Amino acid sequence: MNALNDSARSGAESLKFRSLGGWVELPSDLQPALEGQVQADVIVVGAGFAGLSTALELRALGADVIVLEQEFAGFGASGRNAGYLLGSMGVEYEFFANRVGVKQATQFIRFYDEAVPYVEGRLKTLGIDCDYNPSGVLRAGVHSSQEKRLRQNMALGQKLGAMTRFVDGDEMRARGIPSAFLFAAEQCGGTLNPGKYVSGLRRAAIEAGVRLYERTPLLSFSEGAVITCKTAHGSATAPVMVLATNAYTPQLGVLRNKIGAIRVSALETQPLSTEQLATLGWQGREGIITPHYTMESHRLTAHGTMVLTVKKLGYAYGSKTPNIPDQGAYKALAQVLRERYPALQGLGIQHCWSGYVSGAYDFLPVIGAMGAKQNIFYTVGCTGHGLGTQSFAGSLLAAQINGDKPELLAALQHKTPSILPEPLQWCVMQSGFAAAKLMDTWTDKKVRKDKARKG
Ligand SMILES: Cc1cc2nc3c(=O)[nH]c(=O)nc-3n(C[C@H](O)[C@H](O)[C@H](O)COP(=O)(O)OP(=O)(O)OC[C@H]3O[C@@H](n4cnc5c(N)ncnc54)[C@H](O)[C@@H]3O)c2cc1C
């Protein structure tokens, strides 16, 4: 299986690629693939934060639950992300408000922000130790020209209910935040090891009696009062199905008109020495993201490395999700590392990886039900916020399937704009990325110019 090959170098100049991401390994207790015919109350497809949370919550309500996972739990974005548990921080609030109006946008912000205490509570209830550091998350500017937009965004967020405060330069320095970051908006939340979080959910699900079938891709399914899911060596039937397949969903032939698969990349350094950590300061180890149009994220890990993500996004024609290196993104992140931390010049890069998030044109979550009997539920489109929101969506979907009517879930219903057919979609994505890059390059040039002037 190519996807599970060991790390490989794809050229003399390239940075080392880790195909599974930096946080997970193939589980030593890989669960058996589905053989033969099985039945359940609910079939969940996909074992990331969304699928495992839904399965656990349903199981707690007494349901008999099957999870089908094409590789292993945590193979997707849930095992590859940056590990920020962040509420609505980083959301472009004006997109939300313009699209659905202030009243409904407030509900979306509530959904994002309530996801933080939800996950914090689940870590305690399920006894998952994933190095969670409730340090708060900073959206920090690297150039003074970013301050106006950051403040405007923050003000609109506050109007929509987001609990954010401004951190000025004096406070940034007093807290030892690396000097590249000048000022910030701050929100609650923090950072964790997403590999340990998703593995903890997996363990809890198995212990709770969820039947998890790994290396079992869903190949096709039938609609109706009873849904039949076909896999390579068997089939599963249930009156309810949940698609928790995130960016891979369009490949199943559904929701193609609502979401696209966007490639996001990450870089992890070698562990920092005691001297390097002392030089850096950053005692609170706050998770930092920047207000670039294509953001940067910067964090320290509990195992002493630094993880940087994003800077350059990717899109493969037809919303495909190949598990291949994106050397352009890794080099862009390596440049960010050198420029933001000049005191760490000798710090080596351990490896890089990429994963896929799903996004709608309006950047809003896409959660709903489909099928002739409206018994096929889905939750996608949480872009770079899914650690919290996709976990939380699991509890809302489980309640809905149990016959309740969670008012927050109802409040999120809206019309998702239609994705254009290919090749127009490819062109839209490439132009969007190019425009964002242009704006960000301009900001970064100003940072370099200011630095050169100061010597
Ligand atoms: C580099 C990177 C950094 C990120 N950083 C953050 C962050 O710091 N904070 C944050 O909140 N979010 C972040 N995200 C986004 C976050 O990781 C996702 O939103 C979240 O993990 C989505 O969870 P999920 O369960 O919906 O999807 P996934 O974790 O992608 O799970 C989908 C699962 O479905 C399985 N699957 C797909 N097709 C099939 C099939 N046919 N049959 C069976 N199984 C199938 C896949 O193998 C996969 O395991 C980041 C993402 C990336 C890639």
Side-chain angles (χ1 to χ4, degrees), residues 338-360:
R338 303 298 170 222
E339 291 192 351
R340 305 277 178 252
Y341 308 94
L344 301 179
Q345 281 309 326
L347 181 62
I349 293 165
Q350 203 177 137
H351 46 223
C352 302
W353 66 87
S354 301
Y356 291 87
V357 299
S358 55

Side-chain angles (χ1 to χ4, degrees), residues 65-345:
V65 186
I66 282 173
V67 178
L68 305 177
E69 165 54 50
Q70 62 177 355
E71 298 282 359
F72 60 86
F75 172 81
S78 300
R80 295 163 189 259
N81 60 77
Y84 287 60
L85 174 58
L86 72 175
S88 58
M89 173 63 77
V91 159
E92 296 297 347
Y93 298 112
E94 60 273 28
F95 274 122
F96 284 25
N98 289 343
R99 177 76 192 152
V100 293
V102 167
K103 197 165 164 229
Q104 196 178 22
T106 305
Q107 298 300 320
F108 279 101
I109 301 313
R110 210 183 120 201
F111 171 60
Y112 277 70
D113 289 344
E114 286 185 11
V116 174
Y118 171 78
V119 173
E120 289 175 339
R122 293 300 276 168
L123 297 183
K124 284 201 187 105
T125 317
L126 299 171
I128 299 176
D129 177 1
C130 54
D131 308 326
Y132 178 52
N133 174 18
S135 56
V137 177
L138 297 170
R139 192 179 197 204
V142 295
H143 191 265
S144 53
S145 60
Q146 292 176 309
E147 185 171 337
K148 190 173 165 207
R149 196 167 75 90
L150 184 85
R151 280 187 183 272
Q152 280 170 346
N153 186 261
M154 203 181 98
L156 179 55
Q158 286 167 337
K159 198 172 147 196
L160 300 177
M163 304 284 280
T164 320
R165 64 181 280 269
F166 189 76
V167 184
D168 65 16
D170 288 346
E171 186 179 337
M172 296 288 276
R173 302 292 72 82
R175 285 165 61 171
I177 309 290
S179 58
F181 305 104
L182 308 177
F183 48 83
E186 182 171 38
Q187 229 182 51
C188 69
T191 58
L192 50 73
N193 178 323
K196 289 188 181 176
Y197 173 39
V198 75
S199 302
L201 290 175
R202 176 183 182 275
R203 176 191 47 77
I206 295 170
E207 283 174 8
V210 169
R211 284 178 283 159
L212 170 63
Y213 296 99
E214 296 183 302
R215 287 193 171 159
T216 304
L218 169 70
L219 301 178
S220 64
F221 60 92
S222 68
E223 288 183 24
V226 174
I227 298 157
T228 303
C229 292
K230 289 255 163 56
T231 66
H233 303 290
S235 65
T237 53
V240 177
M241 175 165 88
V242 178
L243 285 174
T245 40
N246 190 27
Y248 306 88
T249 313
Q251 290 164 52
L252 284 167
V254 288
L255 303 179
R256 267 190 187 146
N257 60 339
K258 291 191 192 294
I259 48 149
I262 302 161
R263 182 167 51 218
V264 187
S265 295
L267 169 153
E268 181 166 19
T269 68
Q270 296 289 352
L272 277 73
S273 66
T274 316
E275 295 74 40
Q276 283 170 325
L277 275 172
T279 313
L280 201 58
W282 207 351
Q283 298 85 343
R285 294 174 164 243
E286 297 86 347
I288 296 176
I289 59 175
T290 67
H292 287 87
Y293 288 89
T294 304
M295 74 165 195
E296 300 166 14
S297 84
H298 302 246
R299 63 163 290 192
L300 288 163
T301 67
H303 48 281
T305 62
M306 201 188 285
V307 170
L308 271 60
T309 69
V310 203
K311 197 65 180 173
K312 180 177 176 289
L313 295 167
Y315 175 77
Y317 192 93
S319 271
K320 293 267 166 28
T321 52
N323 191 16
I324 54 171
D326 184 343
Q327 290 295 337
Y330 308 153
K331 282 177 189 154
L333 287 168
Q335 186 178 0
V336 168
L337 175 71
R338 303 298 170 222
E339 291 192 351
R340 305 277 178 252
Y341 308 94
L344 301 179
Q345 281 309 326

